[in-house]
Amino acid sequence: MTQRLRASHKIIVEAPVDQAFMFFTPAGEELWVDGWKPTYVHPRDGRTEAGMVFTTGQGDELTIWTMAEFDRKAHRSRYVRCTPASRTGIVQVRCAALDETRAEAWVSYELTALNAAGERALEDFAGVRFAAMIDDWARKIASRRESLLAADIR
């Protein structure tokens, strides 16, 4: 079983870097992640900023998220996430412009299992599974690209 896991993967997003970066905020992900519906604790309007707190999931999958860093100019964010029933960790996103219409996005997870349930959950992030998950993000973003580019993500 895996108690601690580090994984990172890069995808290409067909959007200017300023917009691509915002696709990876809690409000931005609401537009392309099926079932992603954060409950915003602070600020209640879901405005993306350092120090924001929100929750996702329920029951044993209730996850508390805190945005530890949000640098819109540097296109970098870091979240601390805790699913108290099983695992905790850090999620980081960095975006960089490839040209005026495309950006690369690096997504990194560092997770620690808190118990046997957490060790089982970490298996979903191990090896090629993590890359496949992030590649699926790229497909979902691409399939909703036009509506994402038109959205005013906070």
Side-chain angles (χ1 to χ4, degrees), residues 54-73:
F54 60 97
T55 63
T56 58
Q58 57 188 356
D60 286 349
E61 283 303 306
L62 174 69
T63 302
I64 304 159
W65 300 79
T66 301
M67 182 166 279
E69 177 184 2
F70 182 70
D71 189 330
R72 193 183 293 245
K73 287 185 179 182

Side-chain angles (χ1 to χ4, degrees), residues 12-73:
I12 305 300
V13 178
E14 299 287 334
V17 68
D18 288 341
Q19 286 181 294
F21 176 63
M22 295 303 288
F23 298 167
F24 298 96
T25 64
E29 290 188 19
E30 283 188 73
L31 302 173
W32 61 268
V33 177
D34 296 329
W36 177 262
K37 184 63 182 143
T39 299
Y40 296 107
V41 177
H42 175 78
R44 291 214 181 266
D45 67 1
R47 184 180 60 256
T48 303
E49 61 184 37
M52 79 179 300
V53 177
F54 60 97
T55 63
T56 58
Q58 57 188 356
D60 286 349
E61 283 303 306
L62 174 69
T63 302
I64 304 159
W65 300 79
T66 301
M67 182 166 279
E69 177 184 2
F70 182 70
D71 189 330
R72 193 183 293 245
K73 287 185 179 182

